[in-house]
Amino acid sequence: MKKCFSILKAVLLSAFVISSYSASAQTHAGDAKMNAFVSNLMSKMTLDEKIGQLNLVTAGGQSKTGSVVNEGVEGKIKSGAIGGIFGIYGTKYIGTAQDLAVKNSRLHIPLIFGLDVIHGHRTIFPIPLGMSASWDMGLIEKSARIAAEEATAEGINWVFSPMVDIARDARWGRISEGSGEDPWLGSQVAKAMVHGYQGSNMKNADAVMACVKHFALYGGAEAGREYNTVDMSLIKMYQDYLPPYKAAVDAGAGSFMSSFNTVNGVPATANQWLLTDLLRKQWGFKGFVVSDYTAVNELSSHGLGDLQQVSALALKAGLDMDMVGEGFLTTLKKSLKEGKVTQAEIDLACRRVLEAKYKLGLFDNPNKSINADREKRDELTDDNRKFARQIAEHSFVLLKNQGQTLPLKKSGTIALVGPLADNHLEMLGTWVIAGDPNKSVSVKEGIRNVAGDNVKVLYARGSNITDDSLLSSRSYFFGQKQPMDGRAPQVMIDEAVETAKKADVIVAVVGESANMSGESSSRSDINIPESQRDLLKALAKTGKPLVIVLFNGRPLTLTWEDKHASAILDAWAPGTEAGNAIADVLFGNYNPAGKITATFPRSVGQIPIYYNHKNTGRPFDGNGPAKFKSDYIDISNDPLYPFGYGLSYTTFNYSGVKLNKTSLKGNETLTASVTVTNTGKYAGEEVVQLYISDPVASISRSVKELKNYQKISLQPGEKKEVVFNITTNDLKFYDNQLKYDWEAGKFIVQIGTNSSDIHVASVQWDK
Ligand code: NOJ
């Protein structure tokens, strides 16, 4: 390999001595060297080789998320017709493919290797929606860092993450892959993930390039139906949906993935305004853009023309790499001849792909991450598992805890029931490519590990995840099937009820299977599947305390559960250390502090439902006559659990909001504070949230917007003053000319434990 590296260097690097660059702090000198290197290389490339760099292929397997898989990959690598491969991992496979490229292609240009590393690689962390509920950017960044370490140990240098799409519709299965509904919080997560993946220098052997997706607005799919049309106002786009992508650009993300949907009428993948004017010219993005899976070809179904035409449109719009569909590979040459694209457009895209490889240090060492020792050593280590347990615990949200049912005592008898209680397969959640479910800890195992000998655990499965054959077949793919218990539903329920009768408390582990959410998993009904609700209803009738441990990739409608269960712990899909983390929280080794980042509706009919909505001209606040007000006649407007909500085993008391001034001018800073006291028996953490509203403005503003938070830790009886500094940056918004500024007037500062339970103070802020 060393020899091959020196040949490559000799051919490509000619006059340049490659020293250790800091990609994170690219100086002009660094840029100049990169430009000269890439120009020199491109001067030797044929048109076919340039177009080849724009071709991203998949080897299939679990990365197959469309109906097409590439063929003839080996020959294409050798002829220089492929710029990158995704969907393979492991030094053996990646090493072989990289060897083919650097030894057998004419110019020895290394391939880039991508993978959907979404929430961990071998060690799996909670699904992103769960991680965001931790409100802990340090932990989130570390999860991306560990994922990068593990993925690079298997030759990966590019990850299709973070997914930063804002989502306000729980029917959409991919809400599980993002950070919920809030643009400000989503931006913090986007930054943390990019930093974690790319590390201090993308040339490091343990750094990957992030690919921010899906640009843009994918989460706004109409009716929550997968791949559906998106149509929204520019103000909404700028104010609520675009900020996390912009934050990722500012954090230095190396690449972006275009989304499947339309943006302002034009599909994102061929949207020049989006990919060039906004992303590059306004935001200053310097990396490359890859399409989503066959999204270039799908432009034809969007109605933009045949493959040649849509490929030309996509390239001209600013798309650099074509994932799987090979529209670029098979049509760009012809389009160039016919004057439908220019040489400069092909060159620019090729340059951007080569620059990415340069920034990753692949021209220095194409095999920088192909290291069999690291592969053995760095995967699923004890430390990584320990961290997985920690972040899972921090992601859990206590939705209900009547009469302090939790934490459980480490004595007595527990009836452990539910199809997810003794289950490894469903612990990891959606989008897990290299994670091994057999290495995950089930809840049953976790309880055994943590509870100690004084706890007797009686187990009964109680039901299948679902008895609905359509739902079952659609939520298992890649050849998997729901492992079914062949007994009749009532027989299983009866067994569970008998088990429950012998116990002091019931722990029911229920909810969605891993792939009931995620890509292509939209649901029109977001209840816990019926077979499990029947089980819960029968268990509730026993009168025993009923603790629900919930698995879910989205907010679910839990009105029945909220009324009848004694406690509900939302565990999302916790990852490799699921069972240990759940048991830690059930038995009080860790006091839960997560807060939901997507509103939980009472009914699917309330969707889209989100905290930062507009007031409307006829708001209904629940008081007075409801007729002719903005509401429903059959349900309240309120969600079941509001954004930012989550309980603790302890209780926190908030003082009123104290302001340092009540009238300000220009660029002064306002300080707002509250004193939070731990009034309960347990030490605990609390996410203290700051919202601001702007009741009078030139456009209709959201009723409130999250602007900051602090996560604090308090011993029983301890109190802390939490101080927020507020500047005019926190008051800015996009007006109807899309000018981003603040307007003088009254503002209401709101601080509290969630978006609904807040303390307020007003201030006058003049220019
Ligand atoms: C389609 C998905 O939309 C995208 O998120 C993913 O990265 C690609 N397939 C590649 O697997």
Side-chain angles (χ1 to χ4, degrees):
M1 189 41 62
K2 257 199 170 134
K3 191 167 167 222
C4 148
F5 170 41
S6 15
I7 300 170
L8 185 74
K9 247 187 162 172
V11 175
L12 302 178
L13 308 186
S14 45
F16 304 109
V17 180
I18 299 298
S19 56
S20 53
Y21 283 93
S22 162
S24 57
Q26 264 175 17
T27 58
H28 287 304
D31 283 351
K33 275 192 174 173
M34 177 171 76
N35 290 343
F37 174 84
V38 172
S39 299
N40 182 43
L41 175 55
M42 285 181 61
S43 71
K44 298 177 183 130
M45 292 172 79
T46 63
L47 176 61
D48 287 324
E49 284 165 340
K50 286 177 180 172
I51 294 173
Q53 285 304 308
L54 317 187
N55 192 28
L56 176 67
V57 300
T58 178
Q62 291 216 319
S63 286
K64 183 176 178 299
T65 52
S67 48
V68 184
V69 178
N70 300 90
E71 282 172 7
V73 170
E74 187 173 333
K76 283 178 186 157
I77 296 176
K78 289 186 190 160
S79 67
I82 287 179
I85 301 185
F86 74 101
I88 55 172
Y89 54 92
T91 56
K92 190 168 143 219
Y93 299 110
I94 291 194
T96 308
Q98 193 68 300
D99 265 8
L100 281 174
V102 296
K103 289 185 182 156
N104 296 302
S105 71
R106 192 179 73 89
L107 288 173
H108 316 283
I109 299 175
L111 297 167
I112 186 170
F113 292 96
L115 195 71
D116 285 287
V117 174
I118 309 296
H119 48 112
H121 178 60
R122 291 281 180 183
T123 311
I124 303 300
F125 307 120
I127 52 166
L129 187 62
M131 283 203 274
S132 71
S134 73
W135 296 58
D136 190 323
M137 298 309 138
L139 292 181
I140 291 172
E141 179 171 337
K142 189 164 173 195
S143 77
R145 184 85 294 276
I146 292 175
E149 285 162 5
E150 290 193 346
T152 53
E154 298 201 57
I156 301 300
N157 33 51
W158 184 31
V159 294
F160 299 149
S161 175
M163 190 278 221
V164 303
D165 305 326
I166 294 297
R168 294 164 161 186
D169 191 327
R171 291 170 297 184
W172 190 51
R174 303 198 82 170
I175 195 171
S176 56
E177 292 177 55
S179 302
E181 71 192 37
D182 184 67
W184 187 87
L185 191 67
S187 300
Q188 310 309 308
V189 176
K191 261 190 272 176
M193 296 287 285
V194 170
H195 289 149
Y197 285 134
Q198 297 190 169
S200 57
N201 185 342
M202 273 193 274
K203 286 193 173 179
N204 292 343
D206 64 359
V208 288
M209 181 174 279
C211 183
V212 178
K213 65 190 192 186
H214 306 83
F215 195 55
L217 323 180
Y218 187 14
E222 281 179 2
R225 199 184 79 204
E226 184 63 303
Y227 313 127
N228 205 4
T229 304
V230 174
D231 197 357
M232 70 172 69
S233 72
L234 282 165
I235 292 189
K236 190 176 201 166
M237 206 187 280
Y238 272 84
Q239 190 68 27
D240 298 330
Y241 280 74
L242 292 177
Y245 307 105
K246 167 77 163 61
V249 171
D250 294 342
S255 69
F256 262 58
M257 184 185 295
S258 68
S259 56
F260 288 122
N261 53 279
T262 47
V263 172
N264 233 350
V266 182
T269 303
N271 192 321
Q272 173 146 17
W273 171 78
L274 186 73
L275 302 186
T276 298
D277 299 348
L278 179 70
L279 181 62
R280 297 180 193 285
K281 293 188 184 158
Q282 282 186 40
W283 292 355
F285 174 63
K286 297 269 188 298
F288 76 103
V289 182
V290 64
S291 76
D292 204 340
Y293 203 107
T294 58
V296 173
N297 314 56
E298 290 164 25
L299 293 171
S300 297
S301 302
H302 276 289
L304 297 198
D306 64 14
L307 186 60
Q308 183 186 353
Q309 177 156 343
V310 295
S311 301
L313 281 173
L315 180 79
K316 289 177 107 54
L319 189 85
D320 305 305
M321 202 177 220
D322 174 9
M323 187 192 289
V324 179
E326 303 202 330
F328 279 7
L329 189 76
T330 54
T331 69
L332 285 186
K333 201 169 173 183
K334 184 161 181 255
S335 290
L336 180 64
K337 257 195 219 133
E338 294 170 0
K340 292 183 174 141
V341 299
T342 65
Q343 182 67 52
E345 285 158 351
I346 295 174
D347 282 356
L348 184 57
C350 175
R351 174 174 290 278
R352 289 180 185 142
V353 173
L354 293 174
E355 281 179 358
K357 294 180 178 181
Y358 182 95
K359 288 175 197 163
L360 280 164
L362 293 177
F363 290 111
D364 289 351
N365 182 359
N367 294 332
K368 69 168 193 168
S369 316
I370 303 173
N371 177 336
D373 291 343
R374 265 192 71 205
E375 184 171 28
K376 274 195 221 114
R377 199 188 59 217
D378 291 356
E379 309 272 292
L380 209 60
T381 61
D382 288 350
D383 280 353
N384 292 359
R385 291 194 82 123
K386 208 165 143 200
F387 176 75
R389 184 169 178 165
Q390 185 193 9
I391 191 165
E393 289 165 9
H394 282 72
S395 75
F396 298 159
V397 182
L398 185 63
L399 296 173
K400 182 177 179 190
N401 194 20
Q402 194 178 36
Q404 299 270 301
T405 307
L406 291 177
L408 300 175
K409 289 200 278 305
K410 288 187 178 168
S411 60
T413 304
I414 293 175
L416 179 65
V417 295
L420 297 167
D422 185 16
N423 188 316
H424 291 102
L425 184 63
E426 310 297 349
M427 299 298 101
L428 304 186
T430 185
W431 266 126
V432 168
I433 296 203
D436 182 354
N438 295 318
K439 302 225 166 100
S440 70
V441 182
S442 73
V443 180
K444 196 172 165 207
E445 289 162 346
I447 289 182
R448 268 285 54 105
N449 294 341
V450 169
D453 294 340
N454 292 336
V455 175
K456 187 166 171 199
V457 181
L458 306 174
Y459 168 76
R461 179 172 164 130
S463 76
N464 286 311
I465 293 176
T466 175
D467 292 332
D468 175 333
S469 56
L470 177 64
L471 183 59
S472 180
S473 68
R474 286 301 308 275
S475 44
Y476 290 84
F477 37 94
F478 299 135
Q480 286 176 345
K481 276 204 176 103
Q482 183 191 171
M484 295 291 279
D485 188 315
R487 289 176 293 165
Q490 196 54 49
V491 172
M492 292 166 76
I493 290 178
D494 290 347
E495 182 192 57
V497 167
E498 285 314 306
T499 308
K501 284 183 184 160
K502 294 181 207 138
D504 304 311
V505 58
I506 308 164
V507 174
V509 190
V510 294
E512 294 189 306
S513 67
N515 285 314
M516 274 181 192
S517 66
E519 186 171 357
S520 192
S521 292
S522 292
R523 291 180 68 195
S524 69
D525 167 357
I526 53 169
N527 282 321
I528 293 175
E530 207 179 336
S531 55
Q532 299 180 67
R533 295 187 94 205
D534 290 345
L535 168 66
L536 291 174
K537 284 176 189 160
L539 291 170
K541 284 199 192 127
T542 65
K544 302 273 176 173
L546 172 61
V547 175
I548 293 180
V549 175
L550 185 68
F551 277 62
N552 51 332
R554 51 159 60 85
L556 297 175
T557 40
L558 300 169
T559 41
W560 183 90
E561 291 78 359
D562 184 68
K563 200 157 163 207
H564 294 96
S566 321
I568 307 176
L569 179 69
D570 195 339
W572 313 106
T576 307
E577 283 290 314
N580 286 334
I582 287 170
D584 278 342
V585 171
L586 289 178
F587 290 99
N589 292 354
Y590 176 73
N591 181 357
K595 305 270 190 173
I596 52 175
T597 58
T599 303
F600 278 47
R602 292 174 188 278
S603 149
V604 78
Q606 293 177 308
I607 292 174
I609 183 168
Y610 46 93
Y611 84 94
N612 48 354
H613 58 84
K614 304 278 187 274
N615 206 29
T616 81
R618 294 185 172 192
F620 179 54
D621 62 5
N623 298 315
K627 195 68 188 160
F628 306 120
K629 293 283 169 66
S630 176
D631 64 357
Y632 302 96
I633 62 170
D634 57 352
I635 197 168
S636 99
N637 285 355
D638 294 336
L640 182 62
Y641 305 124
F643 174 84
Y645 171 83
L647 304 172
S648 164
Y649 294 156
T650 194
T651 43
F652 297 104
N653 177 269
Y654 279 66
S655 71
V657 176
K658 241 178 26 205
L659 301 178
N660 68 336
K661 343 182 164 171
T662 50
S663 76
L664 293 92
K665 235 181 168 12
N667 281 339
E668 287 183 87
T669 299
L670 173 68
T671 51
S673 58
V674 288
T675 299
V676 183
T677 310
N678 181 343
T679 48
K681 289 197 307 245
Y682 299 90
E685 293 157 304
E686 167 73 338
V687 179
V688 182
Q689 301 161 39
L690 167 74
Y691 299 85
I692 297 182
S693 56
D694 182 2
V696 180
S698 61
I699 61 162
S700 187
R701 304 287 327 277
S702 301
V703 291
K704 68 187 71 148
E705 288 174 348
L706 180 73
K707 293 294 171 186
N708 210 340
Y709 72 91
Q710 284 180 41
K711 195 167 179 180
I712 57 167
S713 197
L714 293 174
Q715 294 300 316
E718 195 189 357
K719 60 169 89 158
K720 250 182 209 163
E721 192 186 22
V722 179
V723 182
F724 293 102
N725 289 326
I726 300 168
T727 72
T728 52
N729 273 337
D730 300 311
L731 311 179
K732 289 182 178 166
F733 62 96
Y734 291 93
D735 70 10
N736 72 347
Q737 301 303 310
L738 298 182
K739 191 165 80 77
Y740 188 61
D741 205 353
W742 63 286
E743 294 173 0
K746 181 177 160 190
F747 296 90
I748 303 169
V749 176
Q750 315 177 19
I751 304 179
T753 182
N754 65 58
S755 61
S756 291
D757 188 354
I758 40 170
H759 301 261
V760 303
S762 305
V763 63
Q764 175 71 28
W765 208 319
D766 294 315
K767 289 255 172 177

